[in-house]
Amino acid sequence: MFRPVSSSSFSSVSAILTKEQQSNLPENKIEETHLKLAFDFKSYMLEKANSVNQALDSAVPLKHPEKIHESMRYSLLAGGKRVRPMLCIAACELVGGDPLTAMPAACAVEMIHTMSLMHDDLPCMDNDDFRRGKPTNHIVYGEDVAVLAGDALLSFSFEHIATATEGVSSDRILRAIGELAKCIGSEGLVAGQVVDICSEGADVGLDHLEFIHLHKTAALLEGSVVLGAIMGGGSDEEIEKLRKFARSIGLLFQVVDDILDVTKSSEELGKTAGKDLVADKTTYPKLLGIEKSREFAEKLNKEAQEQLLEFDQIKAAPLIALANYIAYREN
């Protein structure tokens, strides 16, 4: 865990921590934080999010048939933290790549993430009518169009990587497409979704819960980082270290999500709070309690950052900051 940097010349990720979290940070991490996070993370996030939003807007223009493209754009451009595209771009930069070469892949993972939310919100799934502070896609456009718009985003994500990526060898583009397909298919995101659905109301243990979230949530975060490393020209060793990093922060993301679901309001989250409790889903707080869940989140964050120790720490700063952002976010 990191202590906020005191210098006024830059802002570290720790600025997003609550006062209580900041007061609990160990004193011996001050110097380490100065070395690793001496950059303006808030500006980095705003810059990357703005670039991704512009790229998404250009990639999915409003055209005929308007209904389907309106629906696609409604959810795709509804805001959100853009964590997955940022992870993709940061991984590309870490291994020495040009962030522009990773932008199509970054957009693709956000398209797929948006699709998963659109389908997750459907009445046959989580039956939610509130997402990112707005009515969910099927509430606005109907279930039929929402399903088709999600399908369209999924298929276009692969087309976009294949046709819009520049300055990357065809071998690496092909490898990235295969990686992305695997992380969201029947052995990835879909596997996690199905096991999650089948586990509602069941007596589920920690190993079972970890399987769900390593696939349902962590798989696409892992894919985001790995795609960035592939597009950036990373070596196999670098890619595998970043894969382990991403797997830890992917599970971390879900642990924090579970905690927020029972500690925050719908207004604070921008989505319906407490729905896991209502659906009788097994979560980390349900199995471990809130405090033990927070300890587990801290352990995952530490394990993730250990994978970055052999990289240039200046180049690794965005990924370190993003890991902390995921760990200490409030929504």
Side-chain angles (χ1 to χ4, degrees), residues 168 177 247 292:
V168 180
I177 289 173
R247 198 165 291 169
K292 289 293 184 182

mmCIF file of all heavy atoms in Angstrom, residues 168 177 247 292:
data_model
loop_
_atom_site.group_PDB
_atom_site.id
_atom_site.type_symbol
_atom_site.label_atom_id
_atom_site.label_comp_id
_atom_site.label_asym_id
_atom_site.label_seq_id
_atom_site.Cartn_x
_atom_site.Cartn_y
_atom_site.Cartn_z
ATOM 1 N N VAL A 168 2.078 -2.779 -36.716
ATOM 2 C CA VAL A 168 2.249 -4.036 -35.975
ATOM 3 C C VAL A 168 2.238 -5.176 -36.982
ATOM 4 O O VAL A 168 1.430 -5.181 -37.922
ATOM 5 C CB VAL A 168 1.118 -4.242 -34.943
ATOM 6 C CG1 VAL A 168 1.305 -5.550 -34.179
ATOM 7 C CG2 VAL A 168 1.070 -3.066 -33.967
ATOM 8 N N ILE A 177 -5.669 -11.247 -31.624
ATOM 9 C CA ILE A 177 -7.054 -11.639 -31.885
ATOM 10 C C ILE A 177 -7.361 -12.987 -31.238
ATOM 11 O O ILE A 177 -8.421 -13.177 -30.623
ATOM 12 C CB ILE A 177 -7.324 -11.681 -33.407
ATOM 13 C CG1 ILE A 177 -7.339 -10.254 -33.975
ATOM 14 C CG2 ILE A 177 -8.642 -12.391 -33.716
ATOM 15 C CD1 ILE A 177 -7.430 -10.180 -35.481
ATOM 16 N N ARG A 247 -3.973 -10.736 -13.983
ATOM 17 C CA ARG A 247 -4.850 -11.721 -13.334
ATOM 18 C C ARG A 247 -5.113 -11.320 -11.879
ATOM 19 O O ARG A 247 -6.233 -11.433 -11.395
ATOM 20 C CB ARG A 247 -4.200 -13.102 -13.404
ATOM 21 C CG ARG A 247 -5.159 -14.254 -13.172
ATOM 22 C CD ARG A 247 -4.525 -15.561 -13.623
ATOM 23 N NE ARG A 247 -4.376 -15.627 -15.061
ATOM 24 C CZ ARG A 247 -3.673 -16.546 -15.706
ATOM 25 N NH1 ARG A 247 -3.017 -17.465 -15.009
ATOM 26 N NH2 ARG A 247 -3.603 -16.555 -17.018
ATOM 27 N N LYS A 292 -11.971 -8.928 6.152
ATOM 28 C CA LYS A 292 -11.135 -9.955 5.527
ATOM 29 C C LYS A 292 -11.104 -9.776 4.010
ATOM 30 O O LYS A 292 -10.087 -10.056 3.362
ATOM 31 C CB LYS A 292 -11.650 -11.353 5.882
ATOM 32 C CG LYS A 292 -11.410 -11.758 7.331
ATOM 33 C CD LYS A 292 -9.932 -11.924 7.633
ATOM 34 C CE LYS A 292 -9.696 -12.430 9.058
ATOM 35 N NZ LYS A 292 -8.251 -12.540 9.369
#
